[in-house]
Each structure stands twice: as C-alpha cells, then as structure tokens.
Amino acid sequence: MAKTSIRSTITVIALLAAAMGLNTAHAQERKNPVLARLGNGETITEKDLNQYLGRRIDLKAASRNATGLTMVLQEMALARALALEGQSMGVSRVKDTGDARFDDIYAHAVYTRISPTCEAPKDEAAARAFYDKNPKAFTIPVSIRLSRIILPAGSKVEDEPAGSWLMNQVQAIGTGRQKFDDAAAKAQKVYHLETQGDLGWVALNEDNVILRALGDANQGDMVGPLKDGEYVYLFQINAKRPSQLVPWKDAAPTAAKRAVSYCHEQTRADVQERMFKKYGVQLDEKAVSGLFETR
C-alpha cells in the first residue's frame, strides 16, 4: 500500500508540475504575446517589437494605432524573411548591426539582389507608352474633404470619457444643436498634438483600415466614434470626389519620375508577397489589436 501511495503521490506531483509549467507558459505568452509566426517555427513577439522600435525611431509614430503597428510588423517580418533568404543564397553580412534577426541593412542588401532595377523611360514616347500601359499608376483614388476629431481613448472631455463624449456630439450635431467645428474646438482644448477639425482633401488609402471604412460613407455622413489603437475618432465627410485618371497632358511632366516610383512600389509589394509565402509568414491581427486593449 505504501508503494502505491508513493506512486500516486509522484503521479499527482508530476501532473501538478506539468499544469504549473503550462500555466507559466501561458502567463508568459500573455505578458509577451506572439504577434507573427514564420513557417520554420520562429515567432515575433511584443518584446521583439519593442526592441525593434527602440532603434527604429522613425516608426514609433506609426505604432500608435493597430493599422500602423501592423505595417511595422510587416516591415519586421519582411526583414526576417529576407535575412533567411540571404542565408540560403550565401549573402554575407557586411558588418554586425547587433540584431541578426531583424537586420534592416542586411535585408536591404538581399532585397536589392532579388529585385529588378527600376529605370526611368528613355524619352517622352516611352513615358507615354508606360502611361498607356499602366493607368493605375496615374489614377487618383477616391478622395474626401474630411473633418476629424481625435482624442486619446483614456481622456475625458467635459468630465465625460472620450468615447461617450463623442457619441453625445454625434447626437447634438445630428439634431442641429451643435456644429462639427464647435465639437472639434472643444476637443482641441483636451488634445492639441494633432489637427482637429478640417483636414482638407484626403485620398482614401486601401492600406488604412479607417480610411477604407470611410470609402463607403457619403457626403454629409458622420462616421464614428471609431477606436483604433490608443485613440478614438469621429469623422465627417464634407465632400467626395470619385477616382479619376490624370489626363496625359497633366501627367506628362512627371511621368518618367512616376514610372520609377511606381516600379519601386510594385516591386516591394511583389517581394513581400513572395517572401511571406516562401517563409510562411502569418501576422496575428487579433493579437496586435489586443496590445492596445492591455495597454
């Protein structure tokens, strides 16, 4: 009986240890969530992201909302995929940058090797041929005359939480008791680091979740409150222009320059698609959004 009791005790202890280990792993994952995965088992975590942003100061502003943070993660994942590609090609590193996994300099060297050269059209006839063949490069997307109110999600206006206050403004503006500009002026007193009110004409960018959502709105509509990352927004569509092709006579002076920039845009998109597919890159958008909820 004693032996059975000892075995049972050992079994229970082993199960408890396994459970504790599992809980610890889950706790660590919650503290350092995985934001992206590669096919080889590698992960990109919040810790990796913070270290990357520590040296890429130019990207910190973009990381304040989920849309921008997703773009930063794409940059990191592409740098990692290009590093793996470079290793398979035998591309040597020029110098040690201190971060072998997300080495932007090495990634750029590999990117240059696997990308075609973007050359400007030789003359006006070649530029016109490019214009005719690539109308998308000279097409202005749908644009809107936009007014905006932006507030930190945790802020208060007139002793109300930002989201609730914005909802009340929607009702007040909708019933004619207040103008959008008046609400923007109140928001300006609380948060003045970014423009409140009229933003002028804004092209609807398909890469931006919020701007993409505004594409379905009509002139005169209000959209929001919308929360994205650390901020909550309210928009008003003051006017709307349809997508249109720039006439050749207007595009001609900058057609050659546009041909080069369009080539770079398409090349980067193509390389990212190929590298992500080859190395099984998958971004976890839910985990990215979760970062702002925990903050």
Side-chain angles (χ1 to χ4, degrees), residues 211-277:
L211 290 181
R212 197 161 60 231
L214 295 176
D216 296 328
N218 298 313
Q219 183 171 323
D221 286 352
M222 279 187 291
V223 179
L226 298 174
K227 186 176 183 298
D228 185 24
E230 301 171 0
Y231 298 91
V232 61
Y233 302 83
L234 179 64
F235 298 96
Q236 184 176 59
I237 313 300
N238 301 317
K240 195 170 186 178
R241 290 175 180 165
S243 173
Q244 56 183 322
L245 176 66
V246 177
W248 169 247
K249 63 181 180 65
D250 296 329
T254 58
K257 187 176 180 179
R258 178 55 184 149
V260 175
S261 63
Y262 186 71
C263 174
H264 285 306
E265 293 166 11
Q266 296 302 109
T267 297
R268 191 189 188 287
D270 176 65
V271 169
Q272 178 172 300
E273 183 179 357
R274 287 192 290 116
M275 292 297 100
F276 278 18
K277 183 177 181 179

Side-chain angles (χ1 to χ4, degrees), residues 36-44 75-93 99-111 113-114 271 274-282:
R37 300 178 187 275
L38 279 71
N40 63 359
E42 287 188 43
T43 60
I44 299 176
E75 187 98 353
M76 292 179 68
L78 181 58
R80 184 60 194 138
L82 286 169
L84 293 172
E85 181 73 1
Q87 291 170 16
S88 69
M89 295 171 60
V91 179
S92 59
R93 295 179 186 273
D99 189 350
R101 290 190 67 213
F102 306 104
D103 186 340
D104 294 316
I105 296 175
Y106 181 65
H108 180 70
V110 177
Y111 177 87
R113 286 205 181 195
I114 65 175
V271 169
R274 287 192 290 116
M275 292 297 100
F276 278 18
K277 183 177 181 179
K278 182 174 182 178
Y279 293 100
V281 175
Q282 293 185 332

